[in-house]
Amino acid sequence: MGYCSMKSSWIGVSLMPAERVFSNGDVYSGQLKGTLPHGKGKYAWPDGIIYEGDWEEGKISGRGKLMWSSGAKYEGDFSGGYLHGFGTLTSPDGSVYAGAWRMNVRHGLGRKEYCNSDVYDGSWREGLQDGSGSYSWYNGNRFIGNWKKGKMSGRGVMSWANGDLFNGFWLNGLRHGSGVYKYADGGFYFGTWSRGLKDGSGVFYPAGSKHPSLKKWHRHFGYDDTGNFLLSHNSTINIDDLRTSKAVSRSLSELTTTSGLTRTSERYPDDYWSTSDPPRDFMHHGPSSKSARSVDSGQSEIRDKNPIVFEREYMQGVLIKERIMSSIDMSHRARPLNLTKEVTVSACVSFLGGKWNHYLMLNLQLGIRYTVGKITPVPPREVRASDFSERARIMMFFPRNGSQYTPPHKSIDFDWKDYCPMVFRNLREMFKLDAADYMMSICGDDGLREISSPGKSGSIFYLSHDDRFVIKTLKRSELKVLLRMLPRYYEHVGDYENTLITKFFGVHRIKLKWGKKVRFVVMGNMFCTELKIHRRYDLKGSTQGRYTEKNKIGEKTTLKDLDLAYEFHMDKLLREALFKQIILDCSFLESLQILDYSLLLGLHFRAPDPLTDILEPPNEMSDQESDSVGSVDVNLPREPSIPPKGLLMVTHEPNSVNTAPGPHIRGSTLRAFSVGEKEVDLILPGTARLRVQLGVNMPAQAHHKLGQDNEESGTVELFEVYDVVVYMGIIDILQEYNMKKKVEHTCKSMKYDPMTISAIEPTLYSKRFIDFLLKVFPEKA
């Protein structure tokens, strides 16, 4: 721009009206300060761009109007040559943005009216919708909720013009997580979604059936009790708020080209069309009917005096299992899915209850931040025998008001002890965990969340906000076992990078002011994956009491040995690598006289091909009725159907997948027989490409054992073979075969078959454990 080349020197201090024509054709008329525009003035560029307004020593600053030859114009605040402050930009196509700017980019509160009559009203960040906001489409659809980088992400409500409504979680513009879908006829579906499709367990309530109260859902998401928006369609942003809001940067010269303006002013939310119509999996309805083979079910299913309720399970939008119950039977047990991350407090530390449990989490974060910060600067060195001794401890007192070494905090006074800090520092480095990332995961502002315990130990489990780490409370006896085995454990995980045994990253103790001691161990989360874990199993190889009561099974319940109705067929080399490591790990635990350990198994099911009619309900709707919800037509291409093969193994390409170690993995990429004994990646069509490692991203086929199916007769299993992605690891390795376990074995052996109970001699336990897994993962015939 012409004014950028002006000399910086000036003569005198008086402001003089003048007109200057520059050699490049630029023209300025207005006040000068020396030789520089200063005060009120008008500047015209040869390409037709005109600015009229305030100047400050040669730079556009203050209030003014900028007009482009394309017809676009901006009127508002400038600073240092940038659009900065509050202003209104009108684009050549007629779209208008009025709101906050920061260095040429929409940033802060603002309202944009698009050329097609869409309107976004809310928060912007670096030119994209980010934060809380409302988007109204021209066809009457509307979203109110959270945005991130131009996409709907977080909690929010989507309302379609035909009366359908979704209230729940979103990710990258798609429904993802817990939610409830309300149909225009009054039916409801409570369930979970993954990448825009139903994925997991849920309950459908036809119109007229008794369903859970939605008051808490509606009020939490900006609706009144009838489901109407509390925020008016005519809501506008307060101009005073906009003028004072903060807002990101590009130079003015980048904005002053016609093409550049057109590009920045035409930005619609990503996945714009995908959110402007009712979701594809809601376009048809009906239980296990023709339409349910590929889509959801839901509207006007049954309209009698005693409408039935459907318990359903989906995989990537495909209905795979259905159980029919009366609404009366379901009313006492059905409730809205938990949209918050709160869970009940474990009995183990019920003395903490309420705010005390919150204090415990704060204490844990403060202590870990202190310990990692203290040990990280120590120069790297090999672990010595003294690093495992009872004197290898870091201890510190954390008074509420702070001290010379500790910051003030909003918890209660506590004593902190960190065990074997140099050993665990080296273990974290061995597992390739960055100290800063480790601290941010556990000690960041997002904090920890409590999760329910899968076992009978009564332990509290915390999960880091990014799902990378699990923190578990320990009994005093378990702490002693861990410290005794630590030298051997350190040696074992160093020798075998593919070990399936739990990764330990730190052991700590908090002593509260009244003397109560709480011990913790930090571990890697074996289910830290972008894929949804549909089933979880805790497998010991014993059968006595190893089942779960059906009325206690939820979507995230960890099931047991007798609940497992599948066997898994793997590639030959993958299976060989798996059992080679399981045998090594079991030999290690056997040598330490450890028992009661188990294989934690997680399964991600891939959607099978939709089959032909499996169940034809007596009151199925007609095709015409089932299509009634699709009231909006934008002539968009349909999404491709799920390919016949749910999983595909290909030769490993390091540049195509994430090869960084995770909190649970460290080992090498596995080789597969089916691709010529080469290292392999796993491709999930339409989802991801993943690196295959031991216990992580392992492909298999799950064969449903129909003859051993112990599910209730009312449940229909629609498929017998599934493609699955398997995650696994060996957990609970802190129980020694001590006198207590010997007495337990003797007592239970008098009532049950000794080989069916959990408490048996470690050598027998190891053999039974391996034999059981050989049946779970049999060789291919």
Side-chain angles (χ1 to χ4, degrees):
M1 294 175 60
Y3 69 82
C4 294
S5 61
M6 298 177 187
K7 296 180 180 179
S8 59
S9 61
W10 53 277
I11 303 173
V13 295
S14 62
L15 299 179
M16 303 168 54
E19 181 171 328
R20 298 194 60 181
V21 179
F22 297 90
S23 59
N24 62 356
D26 293 358
V27 178
Y28 173 78
S29 61
Q31 295 175 315
L32 294 172
K33 188 175 184 180
T35 61
L36 299 177
H38 188 88
K40 299 290 184 180
K42 181 177 180 180
Y43 200 103
W45 286 266
D47 57 5
I49 299 173
I50 299 174
Y51 170 76
E52 187 173 359
D54 296 333
W55 294 79
E56 185 176 342
E57 297 187 2
K59 292 185 177 181
I60 298 174
S61 291
R63 295 284 294 177
K65 181 188 293 185
L66 185 64
M67 293 167 286
W68 288 263
S69 58
S70 64
K73 63 180 179 179
Y74 171 83
E75 187 170 1
D77 296 332
F78 293 82
S79 179
Y82 295 95
L83 280 63
H84 192 90
F86 171 80
T88 300
L89 175 69
T90 303
S91 301
D93 60 10
S95 62
V96 178
Y97 171 79
W101 295 80
R102 192 173 79 178
M103 301 183 74
N104 291 351
V105 179
R106 294 183 292 271
H107 192 93
L109 294 176
R111 175 184 176 91
K112 182 165 183 178
E113 299 177 0
Y114 294 87
C115 60
N116 66 344
S117 300
D118 288 1
V119 177
Y120 174 77
D121 208 341
S123 178
W124 300 75
R125 182 179 178 84
E126 300 186 13
L128 298 175
Q129 297 92 339
D130 200 297
S132 299
S134 165
Y135 195 103
S136 300
W137 281 266
Y138 72 94
N139 56 14
N141 301 336
R142 195 175 191 212
F143 175 82
I144 295 180
N146 293 320
W147 298 74
K148 187 173 183 180
K149 296 182 178 180
K151 296 183 179 181
M152 299 177 292
S153 291
R155 295 173 176 174
V157 179
M158 183 76 186
S159 173
W160 286 270
N162 69 342
D164 286 5
L165 181 148
F166 175 77
N167 183 332
F169 283 95
W170 300 75
L171 180 68
N172 294 327
L174 299 171
R175 298 177 307 286
H176 191 88
S178 302
V180 57
Y181 195 97
K182 177 184 176 183
Y183 297 92
D185 72 341
F188 286 87
Y189 178 78
F190 293 85
T192 57
W193 280 255
S194 178
R195 301 175 186 270
L197 297 175
K198 282 200 186 74
D199 205 6
S201 301
V203 180
F204 173 71
Y205 297 84
S209 60
K210 185 177 180 180
H211 55 73
S213 170
L214 299 178
K215 288 185 178 180
K216 186 178 294 186
W217 287 66
H218 285 153
R219 294 188 183 281
H220 189 73
F221 282 91
Y223 277 77
D224 61 22
D225 295 343
T226 62
N228 295 319
F229 285 111
L230 296 177
L231 180 61
S232 168
H233 280 267
N234 297 321
S235 61
T236 57
I237 300 297
N238 185 293
I239 292 180
D240 291 334
D241 291 341
L242 289 171
R243 292 183 64 87
T244 58
S245 67
K246 297 179 180 179
V248 124
S249 63
R250 248 177 279 153
S251 67
L252 182 60
S253 59
E254 185 178 337
L255 187 64
T256 55
T257 63
T258 303
S259 59
L261 176 67
T262 302
R263 286 194 301 270
T264 58
S265 64
E266 279 296 324
R267 182 60 186 256
Y268 293 92
D270 290 345
D271 297 325
Y272 163 77
W273 290 114
S274 67
T275 57
S276 61
D277 288 331
R280 180 175 66 90
D281 55 328
F282 287 106
M283 297 296 289
H284 302 281
H285 309 280
S288 301
S289 62
K290 294 178 181 179
S291 59
R293 295 197 306 268
S294 60
V295 291
D296 191 9
S297 49
Q299 186 182 20
S300 305
E301 297 194 3
I302 293 176
R303 296 180 181 276
D304 55 23
K305 294 182 180 179
N306 294 300
I308 58 178
V309 172
F310 299 90
E311 285 187 296
R312 291 174 172 165
E313 185 172 347
Y314 290 84
M315 291 178 189
Q316 295 92 53
V318 176
L319 179 64
I320 64 159
K321 191 178 293 186
E322 181 176 83
R323 182 165 178 254
I324 300 175
M325 297 185 68
S326 71
S327 58
I328 297 175
D329 293 335
M330 284 293 299
S331 61
H332 73 279
R333 52 182 290 196
R335 57 179 180 265
L337 297 175
N338 185 14
L339 282 181
T340 67
K341 294 177 180 178
E342 297 177 0
V343 295
T344 55
V345 179
S346 250
C348 172
V349 288
S350 57
F351 70 91
L352 291 170
K355 64 179 181 180
W356 300 113
N357 191 47
H358 175 66
Y359 290 158
L360 189 63
M361 284 193 289
L362 290 179
N363 296 350
L364 182 62
Q365 291 179 300
L366 285 166
I368 290 177
R369 186 182 294 117
Y370 174 83
T371 298
V372 175
K374 185 177 180 66
I375 197 68
T376 298
V378 176
R381 62 171 176 81
E382 292 293 325
V383 170
R384 306 165 184 160
S386 59
D387 293 322
F388 295 96
S389 69
E390 292 188 3
R391 300 185 61 182
R393 308 287 188 268
I394 291 178
M395 293 180 283
M396 181 56 62
F397 175 60
F398 284 79
R400 182 185 181 121
N401 296 326
S403 68
Q404 180 181 355
Y405 304 103
T406 63
H409 55 85
K410 296 181 180 180
S411 182
I412 55 177
D413 297 352
F414 68 96
D415 285 293
W416 173 261
K417 179 183 285 190
D418 186 83
Y419 296 89
C420 305
M422 183 58 71
V423 175
F424 285 106
R425 198 280 286 271
N426 280 25
L427 279 173
R428 291 193 293 269
E429 291 181 351
M430 185 187 301
F431 299 144
K432 295 181 173 58
L433 288 179
D434 179 75
D437 289 344
Y438 180 71
M439 279 198 293
M440 285 302 298
S441 289
I442 297 175
C443 309
D445 293 337
D446 292 329
L448 305 170
R449 64 182 187 271
E450 190 182 350
I451 56 177
S452 58
S453 169
K456 299 179 181 179
S457 65
S459 298
I460 287 182
F461 287 80
Y462 295 116
L463 193 63
S464 63
H465 71 91
D466 55 6
D467 293 342
R468 299 182 68 196
F469 302 101
V470 175
I471 303 174
K472 175 189 174 183
T473 56
L474 292 177
K475 299 176 183 177
R476 186 166 179 264
S477 59
E478 292 175 322
L479 174 64
K480 289 184 175 181
V481 172
L482 176 54
L483 294 177
R484 277 199 299 268
M485 74 184 301
L486 192 56
R488 294 279 307 279
Y489 172 87
Y490 185 88
E491 180 182 351
H492 182 77
V493 299
D495 290 342
Y496 303 105
E497 65 174 5
N498 288 322
T499 181
L500 292 170
I501 289 178
T502 305
K503 306 278 191 298
F504 294 129
F505 303 121
V507 179
H508 319 286
R509 191 197 72 184
I510 292 172
K511 181 180 179 182
L512 303 174
K513 60 182 180 180
W514 55 79
K516 183 67 180 181
K517 299 175 182 177
V518 187
R519 304 161 187 87
F520 297 92
V521 60
V522 183
M523 305 173 288
N525 177 17
M526 294 180 183
F527 298 153
C528 181
T529 170
E530 61 187 277
L531 303 181
K532 180 181 179 66
I533 302 297
H534 295 103
R535 289 284 189 279
R536 297 165 170 81
Y537 293 92
D538 183 271
L539 306 175
K540 292 180 180 290
S542 58
T543 55
Q544 184 58 46
R546 299 293 295 165
Y547 66 93
T548 308
E549 295 180 18
K550 296 302 176 184
N551 60 356
K552 294 182 179 180
I553 295 178
E555 185 177 1
K556 294 189 177 181
T557 302
T558 301
L559 304 173
K560 301 176 183 177
D561 303 63
L562 294 178
D563 303 317
L564 184 63
Y566 304 96
E567 60 182 29
F568 305 96
H569 293 211
M570 280 187 173
D571 177 274
K572 176 182 177 182
L573 289 185
L574 297 186
R575 183 180 181 276
E576 287 179 1
L578 174 64
F579 279 98
K580 177 181 179 181
Q581 190 60 52
I582 287 177
I583 292 170
L584 288 169
D585 289 339
C586 287
S587 296
F588 163 72
L589 296 173
E590 181 184 332
S591 69
L592 293 171
Q593 292 292 287
I594 300 294
L595 74 162
D596 263 358
Y597 50 87
S598 56
L599 185 82
L600 184 62
L601 178 68
L603 304 175
H604 170 79
F605 285 80
R606 298 304 293 171
D609 269 347
L611 300 183
T612 55
D613 292 351
I614 294 178
L615 176 66
E616 194 72 27
N619 296 333
E620 184 190 3
M621 299 184 303
S622 67
D623 291 340
Q624 183 178 1
E625 290 174 325
S626 67
D627 284 335
S628 62
V629 70
S631 61
V632 181
D633 181 16
V634 291
N635 297 320
L636 295 177
R638 305 287 287 184
E639 293 184 26
S641 61
I642 297 169
K645 187 68 176 175
L647 301 173
L648 180 65
M649 283 193 292
V650 297
T651 303
H652 175 58
E653 296 182 11
N655 295 331
S656 301
V657 294
N658 180 14
T659 56
H664 168 52
I665 55 176
R666 181 172 54 105
S668 58
T669 304
L670 295 186
R671 298 177 182 273
F673 181 79
S674 59
V675 295
E677 301 188 7
K678 297 179 180 179
E679 293 183 343
V680 290
D681 294 336
L682 178 63
I683 292 181
L684 289 73
T687 304
R689 179 175 180 141
L690 305 169
R691 180 186 181 195
V692 179
Q693 295 173 272
L694 202 66
V696 179
N697 303 327
M698 298 184 71
Q701 276 197 330
H703 291 246
H704 188 229
K705 297 183 287 186
L706 297 176
Q708 302 178 29
D709 186 8
N710 58 358
E711 298 188 63
E712 298 177 49
S713 58
T715 300
V716 179
E717 179 80 26
L718 302 183
F719 302 93
E720 296 182 18
V721 179
Y722 304 89
D723 287 318
V724 294
V725 185
V726 178
Y727 298 84
M728 68 182 83
I730 297 175
I731 63 170
D732 295 339
I733 63 169
L734 301 179
Q735 178 59 60
E736 287 182 319
Y737 189 57
N738 51 24
M739 184 56 67
K740 179 181 177 181
K741 283 294 177 180
K742 292 177 182 179
V743 171
E744 179 184 341
H745 172 76
T746 301
C747 294
K748 288 187 175 181
S749 295
M750 297 173 65
K751 188 175 181 181
Y752 307 108
D753 180 351
M755 289 306 295
T756 66
I757 62 178
S758 179
I760 59 174
E761 193 272 330
T763 301
L764 293 176
Y765 190 97
S766 172
K767 183 180 184 304
R768 184 184 64 186
F769 181 75
I770 295 171
D771 289 343
F772 175 75
L773 294 182
L774 286 169
K775 296 176 182 177
V776 174
F777 298 92
E779 286 187 273
K780 289 185 179 180

